[in-house]
């Protein structure tokens, strides 16, 4: 492992050094940073399970073992046991801080943070629900800035503040789906220096009725976009208007109407959906065209993170259930996706195949990010 002077905040291998090892010192055969590095490399090569992680580590060869100082390759049970005990909150905090350091917005740019949750269906055990994780995703850089577990006895709403508490929100705009459109959440975000862009649906019936009643027919369409993917073609139109008075939602200054027209590529009936949103961004800071970008950008957390974990990594069939292991593996998938996005990857599946062909490639990719 690299050693020397103070670590750069971009040095991922040094970040692993700062994660506390849950094991007693006596009897350790493999240092935690080595286990985390090997597991990250394996996931970059497409590993989907602890067995696959251990197999990749065993096949990595002398080039990788020598760089990491490995004398004896850890087996599957070692990865499984250690990751089940690991402080998942601390790991996610460390990885989030690293992701924030490597994705600093440029001059005059806002960080756009999409908040959304995902259930690890394979972690379900009998009547016990699968683990549910809430993520904060940088829309522009494709990086996971934070992740928190949502208690099975509650919901995502109170978890949002905990999730974003460690994220620098100054000047950022946070986007979230309708459950998070809460007075308290909006106030908290603004008090912490952020703006919000929140979808409005039936959980806020008064606000939804007020937005629906606005004279949208008199508002000029701000943006039109089209896309194809996931078996459908979609056309979107976006309108935005200032809210002058009468909307009783904290700090709301603009209303947005988004109309989506979806046509299945294989044929079948088209669907049209109209939704509304509110934002604290004033008109002089967010034009209708920019609001259209932010609206569409929110779905990057689904398309560039959750969909990749579901489809490319087949996450929902990963049936690890012990301790913190399910969340730690999800965190490593988040990390691999973030690493590949920062390396310029647009096709994650292709990148995993690329890294699987040569065992030195994953570690080299990690090391290059530190430069």
């Amino acid at each position: 492992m690299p050693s020397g002077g103070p670590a750069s905040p971009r040095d991922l291998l040094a970040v692993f050094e700062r994660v506390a090892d849950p094991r007693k010192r006596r009897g350790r055969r493999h240092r935690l940073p080595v286990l985390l590095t090997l597991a990250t490399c394996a996931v970059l090569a497409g590993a989907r399970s602890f067995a696959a992680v251990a197999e990749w580590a065993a096949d990595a060869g002398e080039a990788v073992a020598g760089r990491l100082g490995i004398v004896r390759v850890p087996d599957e049970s070692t990865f499984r046991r250690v990751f089940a005990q690991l402080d998942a909150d601390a790991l996610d905090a460390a990885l989030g801080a690293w992701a924030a350091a490597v994705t600093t917005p440029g001059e005059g740019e806002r960080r756009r943070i999409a908040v959304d949750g995902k259930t690890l269906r394979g972690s379900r055990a009998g009547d016990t629900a699968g683990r549910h994780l809430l993520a904060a995703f940088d829309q522009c850089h494709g990086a996971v800035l934070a992740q928190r577990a949502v208690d099975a006895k509650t919901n995502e709403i109170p978890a949002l503040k905990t999730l974003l508490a460690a994220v620098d929100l100054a000047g950022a705009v946070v986007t979230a789906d309708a459950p998070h459109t809460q007075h308290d959440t909006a106030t908290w975000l603004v008090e912490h220096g952020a703006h919000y862009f929140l979808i409005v649906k039936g959980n806020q019936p008064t606000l939804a009725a007020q937005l629906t009643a606005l004279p949208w027919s008199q508002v000029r369409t701000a943006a039109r976009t089209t896309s194809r993917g996931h078996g459908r073609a979609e056309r979107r139109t976006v309108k935005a208007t200032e809210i002058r008075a009468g909307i009783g939602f904290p700090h709301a200054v603009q209303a947005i109407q988004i109309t989506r027209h979806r046509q299945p590529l294989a044929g079948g009936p088209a669907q049209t959906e109209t939704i509304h949103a509110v934002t604290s961004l004033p008109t002089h800071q967010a034009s209708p065209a920019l609001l259209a970008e932010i609206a569409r950008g929110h779905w990057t957390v689904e398309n560039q993170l959750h969909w990749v974990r579901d489809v490319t990594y087949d996450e929902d069939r990963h049936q690890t259930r012990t301790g913190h292991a399910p969340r730690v593996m999800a965190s490593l998938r988040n990390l691999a996706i973030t690493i590949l996005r920062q390396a310029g990857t647009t096709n994650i599946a292709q990148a995993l195949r690329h890294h699987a062909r040569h065992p030195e490639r994953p570690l080299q990719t990690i090391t290059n990010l530190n430069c």
Side-chain angles (χ1 to χ4, degrees):
M1 299 290 288
S3 60
S8 161
R10 301 175 63 89
D11 189 344
L12 181 59
L13 300 183
V15 169
F16 289 150
E17 293 277 2
R18 295 196 291 269
V19 179
D21 195 321
R23 299 168 293 175
K24 294 181 180 179
R25 187 175 299 275
R26 184 177 180 180
R28 293 182 196 169
R29 291 178 176 170
H30 308 94
R31 296 174 57 242
L32 179 62
V34 171
L35 296 177
L36 287 170
T37 301
L38 283 173
T40 302
C41 288
V43 175
L44 280 169
R48 300 179 178 183
S49 65
F50 286 120
V53 168
E55 289 167 0
W56 184 91
D59 291 340
E62 289 300 323
V64 173
R67 290 190 64 182
L68 298 181
I70 298 171
V71 176
R72 179 177 177 179
V73 177
D75 59 16
E76 175 187 357
S77 64
T78 300
F79 287 107
R80 187 183 299 274
R81 182 179 66 256
V82 174
F83 289 176
Q85 300 173 45
L86 197 61
D87 185 336
D89 285 339
L91 176 63
D92 277 329
L95 298 183
W98 170 81
V102 299
T103 57
T104 305
E107 185 68 28
E109 296 180 348
R110 291 184 186 276
R111 195 185 289 277
R112 303 178 192 174
I113 304 171
V115 174
D116 195 35
K118 181 183 185 300
T119 298
L120 307 178
R121 292 181 176 86
S123 64
R124 178 177 178 178
D127 294 332
T128 303
R131 315 293 174 86
H132 190 79
L133 303 175
L134 190 65
F137 187 72
D138 186 303
Q139 297 181 13
C140 300
H141 297 94
V144 179
L145 303 175
Q147 179 175 263
R148 297 290 294 191
V150 177
D151 192 287
K153 296 180 181 179
T154 180
N155 56 46
E156 291 184 3
I157 296 170
L160 181 142
K161 297 175 188 177
T162 307
L163 173 76
L164 296 178
V167 178
D168 182 6
L169 296 177
V173 56
V174 175
T175 65
D177 210 347
H180 295 288
T181 306
Q182 306 287 333
H183 288 233
D184 187 50
T185 298
T187 300
W188 186 89
L189 288 170
V190 173
E191 288 176 348
H192 284 75
H195 283 286
Y196 63 76
F197 184 106
L198 300 172
I199 302 299
V200 179
K201 291 184 179 178
N203 62 311
Q204 292 286 345
T206 301
L207 179 60
Q210 289 173 329
L211 297 183
T212 301
L214 291 173
W216 292 109
S217 61
Q218 301 173 30
V219 178
R220 182 175 59 87
T221 297
R224 291 183 175 87
T225 59
T226 59
S227 65
R228 294 166 67 93
H230 305 308
R232 67 192 182 202
E234 183 170 293
R235 183 175 70 253
R236 306 173 204 85
T237 60
V238 178
K239 296 181 177 183
T241 184
E242 254 187 312
I243 303 173
R244 299 188 181 276
I247 300 294
F249 194 78
H251 307 286
V253 294
Q254 291 197 75
I256 303 95
Q257 183 188 72
I258 305 165
T259 302
R260 300 192 186 102
H261 180 83
R262 299 187 180 102
Q263 177 65 59
L265 297 178
Q271 294 181 330
T272 300
E273 177 189 28
T274 298
I275 62 174
H276 296 94
V278 288
T279 183
S280 60
L281 285 164
T283 54
H284 68 278
Q285 295 184 26
S287 66
L290 178 58
L291 292 177
E293 285 184 26
I294 293 172
R296 187 180 179 192
H298 176 68
W299 303 111
T300 57
V301 67
E302 288 285 352
N303 297 331
Q304 296 183 19
L305 180 66
H306 295 162
W307 189 86
V308 173
R309 280 166 47 184
D310 276 341
V311 177
T312 305
Y313 279 112
D314 200 18
E315 182 174 76
D316 283 345
R317 289 204 291 176
H318 184 214
Q319 296 184 348
T320 296
R321 302 185 178 102
T322 306
H324 294 143
R327 177 174 167 187
V328 170
M329 285 300 292
S331 299
L332 294 179
R333 295 181 194 109
N334 288 344
L335 175 60
I337 292 167
T338 298
I339 289 170
L340 293 175
R341 298 287 185 202
Q342 302 325 297
T345 296
T346 56
N347 187 320
I348 298 293
Q350 184 181 65
L352 299 187
R353 294 193 299 271
H354 169 81
H355 285 85
R357 289 197 295 271
H358 294 283
E360 298 88 356
R361 284 178 177 171
L363 189 57
Q364 188 62 50
T365 294
I366 293 174
T367 304
N368 287 345
L369 288 177
N370 301 335
C371 300

